[in-house]
Amino acid sequence: MGSAAYTTSSRLLFRQLFEKDSSTYTYLLADTSHPDKPALLVDPVDKTVDRDISLVKELGLKLIYAINTHVHADHVTGSGLLKSKVPGVKSIISKASNAKADLFVEPGDKIIFGDLFLEVRATPGHTVGCVTYVTGDGPNQPQPRMAFTGDTLLIRGCGRTDFQIFSLPKDTLIYPAHDYKGFSVSTVGEEMQYNPRLTKDEETFKNIMANLNLSYPKMIDIAVPANMVCGLQEVESKAL
């Protein structure tokens, strides 16, 4: 499953990037028709910040935002490192997350980069502050739309989830924060039809989620405290 071929906007540059240790997807989006070529990264990882910066430079982009879908428990966000290495970058996370960032977003807000934008949708469940970022709806926006769902909706899986993602058009492309089976993209319609958790009634869904018996995330004790301070826990502690 490729990803770049699914976009149909001549304005949008889109890259799906991967961090293998945590199986995390980072997404690079930019408006290449704008003179500044403004760009943003969704869910950057600290281990791959140098790779991401190198790609941004190679493509002649200006990185303006590093945004997170939620406070991650399985990796340390790259937002803080990006801010320290690339002048002018601002970090973004939901206000409901109670984490530190330069800008806080709430449902209905728009994150504008050039003439493109992402809409913010509240999708709590996996964490109270989870949001999904959805490309805009309009003549100059990418079609079909794209939803960056974090851990809320995975391909054929989900976190403890809010179902409003399914109110999006069925051809909306689903780009999750993780995949552990080699998939890279799905659609709202596909997940409505084939997701083994989300095709069940409410009680069955609750029972499935209550009995997953997931192991304790190996990075959680490091990742969550760091991500609450924009991934700069070590930097802050050294400054004290």
Side-chain angles (χ1 to χ4, degrees):
M1 286 186 174
S3 54
Y6 284 82
T7 60
T8 57
S9 169
S10 59
R11 306 189 69 93
L12 177 70
L13 180 146
F14 172 68
R15 295 290 184 271
Q16 183 180 47
L17 308 166
F18 190 66
E19 194 285 307
K20 61 182 177 61
D21 290 340
S22 60
S23 297
T24 298
Y25 285 124
T26 295
Y27 298 98
L28 172 65
L29 290 82
D31 182 352
T32 54
S33 294
H34 191 277
D36 293 335
K37 295 187 177 180
L40 57 82
L41 284 165
V42 181
D43 288 334
V45 180
D46 63 341
K47 293 180 179 180
T48 47
V49 158
D50 290 339
R51 174 203 65 188
D52 298 346
I53 292 173
S54 177
L55 180 60
V56 166
K57 287 181 179 178
E58 284 176 356
L59 296 174
L61 308 176
K62 180 182 180 181
L63 186 65
I64 58 173
Y65 295 129
I67 72 179
N68 281 286
T69 52
H70 64 294
V71 174
H72 301 275
D74 51 12
H75 68 270
V76 175
T77 178
S79 297
L81 283 175
L82 286 165
K83 279 160 48 68
S84 69
K85 294 188 175 196
V86 183
V89 172
K90 293 187 181 299
S91 58
I92 298 177
I93 202 167
S94 72
K95 186 177 181 180
S97 71
N98 292 316
K100 289 186 179 181
D102 296 310
L103 301 170
F104 300 100
V105 290
E106 298 185 83
D109 287 350
K110 293 181 179 179
I111 300 171
I112 297 170
F113 55 111
D115 294 314
L116 301 174
F117 64 92
L118 296 178
E119 294 178 359
V120 180
R121 299 202 176 201
T123 49
H126 175 68
T127 72
V128 69
C130 282
V131 292
T132 291
Y133 299 110
V134 185
T135 53
D137 192 15
N140 294 319
Q141 306 303 312
Q143 292 296 328
R145 300 178 77 179
M146 307 161 74
F148 301 94
T149 57
D151 291 11
T152 299
L153 178 60
L154 306 175
I155 297 172
R156 307 299 191 266
C158 67
R160 290 172 176 82
T161 188
D162 179 287
F163 288 87
Q164 73 151 301
I165 293 172
F166 286 168
S167 66
L168 290 166
K170 290 184 178 180
D171 64 350
T172 301
L173 298 167
I174 298 295
Y175 288 104
H178 303 282
D179 189 84
Y180 309 99
K181 298 179 180 178
F183 295 112
S184 61
V185 62
S186 184
T187 66
V188 166
E190 248 183 72
E191 294 307 307
M192 289 177 70
Q193 187 172 357
Y194 300 119
N195 192 301
R197 296 180 188 174
L198 304 180
T199 50
K200 305 295 189 294
D201 61 67
E202 184 176 350
E203 286 305 312
T204 304
F205 173 75
K206 288 180 179 178
N207 188 56
I208 290 172
M209 300 307 291
N211 291 282
L212 290 175
N213 297 318
L214 298 175
S215 59
Y216 190 74
K218 61 182 180 180
M219 281 287 292
I220 191 170
D221 294 323
I222 298 171
V224 171
N227 292 337
M228 290 298 290
V229 292
C230 203
L232 291 176
Q233 183 187 38
E234 290 187 8
V235 175
E236 290 201 351
S237 64
K238 288 176 182 176
L240 294 176

